[in-house]
Amino acid sequence: MSTRGDLHDLRHHGDVELRDGAEGLIDLAVNVRTGTPPEWLRTRIAESMAGLAAYPDGRAARAAVAARHGLPVERVLLTAGAAEAFVLLARALPVRRPVVVHPQFTEPESALRDAGHTVGRVLLRMADGFRLDPGAVPEEADLVVVGNPTNPTSVLHPAEVIARLARPGRTLVVDEAFMDAVPGEPQSLAGRTDVPGLVVLRSLTKTWGLAGLRIGYVLAEPGTVAALERAQPLWPVSTPALAAAEACMSPDALAEAEHAACRTAVERAHLLAGLAEFEEVRAVEAAEGPFVLVRMARADAVRARLRTLGFAARRGDTFPGLGHEWLRLAVRDRTTTNRFLQALDQALTAVGT
């Protein structure tokens, strides 16, 4: 296990690829579903604007989230996106030996470091398919963070393997920000109350296209929820975000999300099949999320060439455990994927990989 702070830019995220000078680029860097938010959700959010004079009241949204997961409301905390939840966990809990399982989303480690913690790292290996080995996590760790499915590897870990990380006196944080993009959510721990110290984080950003609205939630033991809530400012989630959260918990919305997840699985298989045609490219074939991780020589140069050809890809070297030979690609529709594969062919030829 490593505890060193290295040169990985933990604050780099995919949205950076779409900033200055990125007009007209097709976005493969950010894992937000295209064509979102849907019209019905935009309407619900717009209707909530009539109540902006009143302070936000999260009770209905909190109850809707609880009902969706079959939990009491005392186990639910609404947050301004999953990122806020990482900050709350880092600052509100009496953590002494936190460990983050990498490669994964870097905000948990950033939040812990910003709160003054020395963070241990468990690095999953490509040779093992980036699969989780519970035995690699030190027994003394009192907070463990793992993603499922993991960003950026797209690996979906079995729920029971993750549950084996639970210990008395340990907080087990499972980032399920992309779980609703997995058909049927078979490995979710969101509704479980039998795993001690379990904290599940969810985001509505990815499937519903709400990155600019900032809405997510925490599912945990009531004592943990209360501790995190005390660390929040008053009214942390806006009225429009609360309206969106409540709307996204409806049966029709859940059915739409499931349909989108099934469609993504088909499109991901098409992307992986196309990538397999390139001898220079190796993809993590166990991908189950709405993105895939690929390895190739001179990935930085390929990424730069792809930009000239109209595509923005996410660099992988900012993730601990990965290097400059990695890129993350969001799954898109078949037409976009076919155009990307043609551009990738041109980029690989141009840079001479």
Side-chain angles (χ1 to χ4, degrees):
M1 185 185 73
S2 170
T3 59
R4 65 188 180 91
D6 58 15
L7 299 179
H8 290 89
D9 181 2
L10 301 180
R11 290 295 190 188
H12 181 94
H13 300 295
D15 62 314
V16 175
E17 313 288 349
L18 278 302
R19 291 180 183 172
D20 298 338
E23 294 82 2
L25 289 182
I26 295 174
D27 175 19
L28 303 183
V30 176
N31 296 321
V32 174
R33 185 164 63 101
T34 56
T36 55
E39 180 62 33
W40 64 264
L41 183 54
R42 291 199 299 270
T43 299
R44 287 289 297 271
I45 293 169
E47 290 172 348
S48 75
M49 300 294 185
L52 290 185
Y55 285 95
D57 183 348
R59 288 176 295 178
R62 189 178 184 185
V65 171
R68 181 255 194 270
H69 293 289
L71 297 170
V73 293
E74 293 80 10
R75 283 183 167 266
V76 176
L77 180 69
L78 303 174
T79 60
E84 187 205 6
F86 291 124
V87 173
L88 296 175
L89 288 163
R91 297 181 179 180
L93 301 185
V95 178
R96 300 183 310 279
R97 297 179 180 87
V99 168
V100 178
V101 179
H102 285 291
Q104 78 146 7
F105 185 49
T106 53
E107 275 304 301
E109 180 167 330
S110 290
L112 287 161
R113 291 186 181 279
D114 289 346
H117 298 291
T118 298
V119 183
R121 293 175 177 173
V122 170
L123 302 180
L124 305 184
R125 303 189 311 148
M126 178 186 174
D128 300 325
F130 296 110
R131 298 288 183 183
L132 176 64
D133 175 10
V137 177
E139 283 294 324
E140 64 270 17
D142 60 355
L143 183 143
V144 178
V145 185
V146 62
N148 203 35
T150 301
N151 172 19
T153 66
S154 204
V155 170
L156 182 66
H157 306 292
E160 292 309 315
V161 172
I162 293 180
R164 283 164 52 193
L165 291 171
R167 301 283 190 279
R170 172 186 287 178
T171 300
L172 173 58
V173 180
V174 185
D175 177 7
E176 293 191 357
F178 293 100
M179 188 62 80
D180 61 354
V182 179
E185 301 186 10
Q187 305 306 331
S188 175
L189 290 164
R192 296 277 292 270
T193 60
D194 60 325
V195 180
L198 176 65
V199 176
V200 174
L201 307 184
R202 285 288 187 115
S203 171
L204 300 178
T205 294
K206 320 301 181 185
T207 289
W208 297 111
L210 300 175
L213 197 61
R214 310 309 306 141
I215 179 64
Y217 54 90
V218 177
L219 307 174
E221 297 168 352
T224 300
V225 167
L228 299 180
E229 190 171 18
R230 286 193 295 270
Q232 281 185 309
L234 292 174
W235 312 290
V237 181
S238 71
T239 294
L242 292 171
E246 184 178 1
C248 291
M249 297 301 114
S250 72
D252 286 347
L254 295 177
E256 181 176 327
E258 177 69 9
H259 177 75
C262 293
R263 187 170 65 250
T264 295
V266 172
E267 300 297 355
R268 183 182 59 244
H270 179 68
L271 173 60
L272 287 170
L275 292 169
E277 296 296 319
F278 296 96
E279 293 182 359
E280 311 95 320
V281 179
R282 181 175 179 183
V284 179
E285 296 182 357
E288 297 282 351
F291 48 89
V292 299
L293 183 66
V294 297
R295 186 180 188 182
M296 66 190 76
R298 301 190 63 196
D300 283 347
V302 172
R303 174 173 152 270
R305 176 65 65 165
L306 284 170
R307 290 182 71 85
T308 70
L309 297 171
F311 291 89
R314 169 66 158 92
R315 57 190 279 207
D317 61 293
T318 63
F319 294 99
L322 301 181
H324 289 278
E325 69 274 24
W326 293 95
L327 296 176
R328 191 192 68 195
L329 307 170
V331 174
R332 300 300 186 218
D333 63 273
R334 186 154 305 200
T335 299
T336 301
T337 293
N338 288 342
R339 290 177 58 194
F340 164 72
L341 292 170
Q342 291 175 349
L344 179 61
D345 189 20
Q346 295 177 49
L348 290 168
T349 301
V351 303
T353 60

